[in-house]
Amino acid sequence: MILQGACAILFAVRILHTSELTVPLRGDITNAVVNFAEHTVSLVALVSDQAMGGRPVIGIGFNSIGRFGQSGILRERIFPRLLAADPEALMRDGELSPAASAATAMRNEKPGGHGDRAGAVAAVELAAWDLRAKLAGEPACRTIARAFGRTADPSVGVYAAGGYYYQADSTSRLRDELQSYRESGFEAFKIKIGGAPIREDAQRIEAALDVAGLGSNLAVDANGRFDAATADAYAQMLQPYALRWFEEPGDPLDYALNAHLTASYPGPIATGENLFSANDARNLLRYGGMRGEDVFQMDPGLSYGLGEYATMIDAIEAQGFSRRQCFPHGGHLINLHIVAGLGLGGCEAYPGVFQPFGGFGPEVRVASGRATLTERPGFGLEGKPELAEPIARLTEAAV
Ligand code: MG
């Protein structure tokens, strides 16, 4: 039996089936470090014993995009633990618990060595949030907000991320790409740097500013490529443009380089999308030299899911920073709901790239730089046409 709202389930939710589909990212695009043509994502389903409209209620999640699927870890370690668990052990206060699901997924795993495991657990934990929201009959942002004692704001400030390097006509294609984002409601943008000589990157920035207008509408992302000397040279080149932020100048774990830049570059520095755990984030806070205007980009889908991510937010606020400085990496519906639910600064969007996961789909209205979530229960992944076929394949055994 299912009732609406919190504390709704009278009996424990049982996970009857789990499934994973390794989905290739569509597109042959490149940043300063990687080409995405070979990248995959693990799309995960948790099929519950609850039903609505004669169909099983299924939680859907996926891990961080721009890396690789985690089929082996999911099938060999995590799914068997979930299916073997006592259903009561996955419940807290009458609701399915994503935290308990993640803890079950991590049974018998040593601490440390986060790596690919962090993404595999994240896909399951996020699927548990989707399932919990669907069981409550509400959008995930509201479920998340309630779980953390907040009220969801379904209108989220967004920026369009793209501006990758193409094989030919890269600069003119860049201008056209950003113009198409502007015409679809975005007012802020992010482009890649570091994949071309610095003079060419300056030309790319000026082409992007033709569309973005003010520097405060344009961020640039080096994807962790630079050593200290190159980062300094770019910082000098970027400074007159007064950009929105300079993202991931150096290696994600080179906190000394980050601190060097925050001490010398006057504009905002953004980093954190390649951290895998709350302790990584704590070390960034201890040693990275982050300031009040800088941006934290940790990604729940890379780092054990929303529960671990919320721990990072707690650490950020404990150090005197604001959650409004958090803009999670990802650019998809799951992170849009998380931003809305936790009251973060804003959300990345990939409206043109990283299909079938990137962007928010036609149900989410983007206008004047803000995205507005709908009432569709869960993360709303079923409302994104590009995901229809992979979700159908993922769940075909269950429905
Ligand atoms: Mg980035």
Side-chain angles (χ1 to χ4, degrees):
M1 175 185 282
I2 297 169
L3 305 174
Q4 296 285 306
C7 305
I9 310 299
L10 299 182
F11 305 99
V13 177
R14 184 178 292 272
I15 305 298
L16 298 178
H17 305 287
T18 53
S19 57
E20 186 267 353
L21 185 71
T22 303
V23 181
L25 284 182
R26 291 205 292 268
D28 183 11
I29 53 175
T30 304
N31 66 28
V33 179
V34 298
N35 179 285
F36 295 90
E38 296 177 1
H39 286 188
T40 57
V41 175
S42 277
L43 189 64
V44 165
L46 302 180
V47 181
S48 77
D49 65 344
Q50 309 289 305
M52 286 182 176
R55 298 169 71 85
V57 185
I58 302 175
I60 308 283
F62 53 81
N63 65 316
S64 180
I65 62 177
R67 287 183 176 260
F68 295 94
Q70 301 303 331
S71 173
I73 296 173
L74 285 161
R75 292 166 194 267
E76 293 170 14
R77 288 158 37 199
I78 291 177
F79 287 166
R81 291 170 189 153
L82 285 171
L83 294 172
D86 179 347
E88 296 286 351
L90 301 182
M91 303 289 287
R92 295 283 185 278
D93 301 322
E95 288 193 277
L96 178 75
S97 168
S101 303
T104 300
M106 284 290 288
R107 186 179 58 77
N108 219 19
E109 299 269 340
K110 282 185 172 181
H114 303 293
D116 287 340
R117 181 183 73 190
V121 173
V124 165
E125 200 253 16
L126 293 166
W129 279 105
D130 186 60
L131 177 55
R132 176 164 160 165
K134 286 171 176 168
L135 290 170
E138 63 186 7
C141 62
R142 206 175 300 151
T143 306
I144 291 165
R146 192 174 62 249
F148 292 96
R150 306 184 63 86
T151 302
D153 181 353
S155 171
V156 174
V158 291
Y159 69 93
Y164 289 82
Y165 292 94
Y166 294 93
Q167 301 286 351
D169 302 326
S170 196
T171 301
S172 65
R173 284 184 70 176
L174 172 70
R175 197 183 281 108
D176 293 345
E177 179 189 342
L178 267 52
Q179 185 61 36
S180 75
Y181 298 153
R182 176 172 282 292
E183 287 164 8
S184 55
F186 292 92
E187 295 182 346
F189 313 92
K190 184 170 79 184
I191 67 168
K192 298 301 178 185
I193 58 170
I198 189 168
R199 188 175 299 178
E200 195 178 315
D201 272 340
Q203 291 167 354
R204 284 168 52 80
I205 289 166
E206 292 187 9
L209 286 170
D210 288 345
V211 179
L214 298 172
S216 56
N217 292 333
L218 181 68
V220 293
D221 185 0
N223 289 96
R225 174 165 184 173
F226 298 152
D227 60 16
T230 313
D232 279 337
Y234 267 82
Q236 203 167 5
M237 180 273 281
L238 295 174
Q239 192 171 326
Y241 296 114
L243 297 178
R244 190 173 194 213
W245 67 65
F246 178 13
E247 179 169 323
E248 241 189 350
D251 185 278
L253 297 181
D254 191 343
Y255 302 129
L257 173 54
N258 202 74
H260 165 73
L261 281 168
T262 58
S264 56
Y265 179 69
I269 297 286
T271 191
E273 72 172 72
N274 288 303
L275 301 184
F276 285 72
S277 71
N279 275 324
D280 281 348
R282 290 189 187 99
N283 281 330
L284 172 64
L285 290 163
R286 288 182 187 116
Y287 306 117
M290 297 294 275
R291 303 160 295 177
E293 64 270 35
D294 294 321
V295 176
F296 297 93
Q297 301 179 297
M298 285 73 84
D299 181 353
L302 190 70
S303 50
Y304 296 104
L306 174 54
E308 183 92 353
Y309 184 73
T311 303
M312 297 182 197
I313 302 287
D314 288 345
I316 285 167
E317 291 188 324
Q319 291 294 311
F321 296 105
S322 166
R323 66 178 58 217
R324 307 294 297 180
Q325 292 175 249
C326 295
F327 291 71
H329 163 269
H332 48 65
L333 278 164
I334 292 179
N335 282 355
L336 186 64
H337 277 269
I338 289 172
V339 170
L342 295 182
L344 308 180
C347 194
E348 184 170 29
Y350 288 120
V353 289
F354 296 134
Q355 296 308 318
F357 301 95
F360 307 138
E363 294 183 351
V364 175
R365 193 172 62 89
V366 179
S368 303
R370 301 192 74 79
T372 304
L373 284 164
T374 69
E375 286 292 306
R376 181 186 277 274
F379 289 122
L381 301 174
E382 293 82 356
K384 191 167 187 296
E386 296 87 349
L387 280 170
E389 189 272 339
I391 289 176
R393 270 200 292 152
L394 177 74
T395 59
E396 63 187 358
V399 293

